[in-house]
Amino acid sequence: MKARILVLGATGYVGRHLVKALGRADWAEPVAASRREGSGLRRVDATDPASLAAALADVDGVVNCVAGAPAAIIANARALLAALEAPHARVAPPPVVHFSSMAVYGAAEGRIDEEAALDAVSPYGRAKQEAEQCLAVLPALTLLRPGCVYGGGSPQWSVRIAQLLRAGRLGDLGAAGDGCSNLVHIDDVVQAALAALHTPLSGARAYNLAMADAPRWNEYFVAYARILGATPVERIGARRLAFETKVLAPALKIAEIAGRKLGGVRVPPPLPPSLARLWQQDIRLDARRAEETFGLAWRPWRTALQAEAFASSGV
C-alpha cells in the first residue's frame, strides 16, 4: 500500500513540483491540499487547526510548503502543531517535512552549517524562525532550509531574473554582486523532501539545501544573460543599482498592487533593497549534512540554465 502524503501549499511553486514527484513515486500517493478548491485538490485551511486535523486523519506523512505573509507562516505553524497534538489525534503523529529558509540565519556571513545561531532580521526570516521553533517539539520533523531555489519556472530566481536580464536592468553588478548565490535546483529540493519522507528519522533535524560550489551572483547573472541571448551583458553601477532599489522599486511595487486590483495588469518586476543586500552578503550554506543523509548530487547549474532558457523560449 502506498503512503498517503499530505502536501500543504500544493498550488505553490515548491508544492506543485512535490505533488508531481510524489505522483511518480512507486511508494507514495500525494494528497494535494490548498485553501483554493480545484480539480485534484483537497480544500484545507492551513491556518485552522480543525481543518488541518481533518486532513491529517488519513495520511501517513506531511510536507508543509505553506508560504505567504509572515503572519500566515506563523499561524500555519501554530495550527499544524495544534492539529498534531490535539487530544483526538493519533498516538504517533506522522513524519513532517517543513520548509524553512536560509533567511533564518539573518545577516550571517562565512560558511554556515545547521548549528549556526538563528538570528533572522527580515520579517519573513523571523516568521520562518518562529515557525521552526514552534514545530521543533514534533517527534519526527525534518526542517529544510533551502537557499535560492531556481529552475522549473522558479518565479523568483529563474523567471524574474530572466525578465530583468532581458530588460537590461540586471547584469554584472561589480562588487554589489559578489555574494554567494546559494542556488539549489528545485529537483534537488524535491529529492531531499522525498528522501526525508521515505526514511524519516526521530527527533527534529535541520538541513541546509544549497549546491556545492554555488556561483557568485555576478557569475550567475552573466552566464544566464548569455544563454538567454540578452547580450551585451549590462554593467550595472552603484548609482544605477541605487536608483533601481530606492526609487524605482517602491513605485513599481505600488503599481504592481494596483495592477492586481485592476484585474491582473502586469508591470515590470521591482528590484527591492532586500535583493541588493542578499547579492552582497558573503554567506555560503554548508549542505554536507543533506548530501550525506539524502544522497544528493547537485544539478550542474550551467546545464540547468540551458534547460530553463530552452523551456521559457516555448520551443
Side-chain angles (χ1 to χ4, degrees):
M1 181 180 293
K2 291 186 176 183
R4 289 170 55 80
I5 306 299
L6 178 67
V7 180
L8 300 173
T11 57
Y13 164 60
V14 174
R16 291 196 307 272
H17 283 271
L18 269 167
V19 168
K20 289 180 182 178
L22 285 165
R24 294 191 295 265
D26 58 5
W27 58 271
E29 174 188 348
V31 179
S34 174
R35 182 174 292 186
R36 294 177 292 174
E37 290 192 50
S39 176
L41 289 174
R42 174 180 290 187
R43 186 176 182 182
V44 177
D45 182 349
T47 63
D48 178 64
S51 181
L52 281 170
L56 289 165
D58 61 347
V59 299
D60 306 295
V62 182
V63 186
N64 190 19
C65 307
V66 173
I73 292 170
I74 295 169
N76 160 247
R78 291 174 178 171
L80 180 57
L81 179 64
L84 289 167
E85 292 187 333
H88 58 275
R90 69 179 87 187
V91 175
V96 175
V97 175
H98 175 74
F99 274 90
S100 186
S101 166
M102 69 176 283
V104 297
Y105 296 119
E109 296 198 331
R111 184 168 286 276
I112 300 296
D113 66 14
E114 293 85 355
E115 305 310 313
L118 304 188
D119 191 20
V121 294
S122 68
Y124 172 79
R126 288 194 294 268
K128 286 292 189 180
Q129 183 175 334
E130 185 172 338
E132 281 196 21
Q133 293 166 345
C134 175
L135 296 172
V137 298
L138 294 176
L141 173 69
T142 300
L143 295 166
L144 299 181
R145 296 173 182 161
C148 298
V149 186
Y150 78 110
S154 165
Q156 297 292 330
W157 304 113
S158 295
V159 175
R160 176 174 60 177
I161 296 302
Q163 290 174 336
L164 291 168
L165 290 169
R166 286 182 169 126
R169 296 173 56 205
L170 194 58
D172 183 346
L173 302 179
D178 277 345
C180 176
S181 65
N182 293 293
L183 290 171
V184 57
H185 196 275
I186 183 61
D187 290 349
D188 297 330
V189 171
V190 167
Q191 183 183 343
L194 295 187
L197 286 165
H198 200 211
T199 55
L201 301 174
S202 60
R205 199 80 188 272
Y207 298 88
N208 291 338
L209 296 180
M211 65 186 299
D213 301 318
R216 295 190 179 275
W217 284 112
N218 279 332
E219 189 178 3
Y220 178 64
F221 295 153
V222 171
Y224 200 4
R226 289 174 175 162
I227 290 170
L228 292 167
T231 54
V233 180
E234 293 284 338
R235 175 61 188 268
I236 311 296
R239 182 177 298 179
R240 184 170 168 188
L241 185 59
F243 175 79
E244 277 275 3
T245 57
K246 297 178 181 179
V247 179
L248 191 57
L252 287 175
K253 188 63 179 179
I254 292 171
E256 181 181 69
I257 295 170
R260 286 199 296 266
K261 292 181 178 178
L262 292 173
V265 177
R266 293 186 178 182
V267 298
L271 203 163
S274 58
L275 281 186
R277 289 193 294 270
L278 177 64
W279 294 337
Q280 293 185 70
Q281 186 178 357
D282 189 20
I283 179 174
R284 186 172 288 272
L285 296 183
D286 185 335
R288 286 175 292 181
R289 177 186 289 178
E291 291 176 8
E292 295 166 2
T293 304
F294 304 133
L296 298 176
W298 311 106
R299 266 55 169 184
W301 66 273
R302 292 181 185 274
T303 303
L305 283 186
Q306 291 280 1
E308 198 72 15
F310 181 83
S312 66
S313 69
V315 176

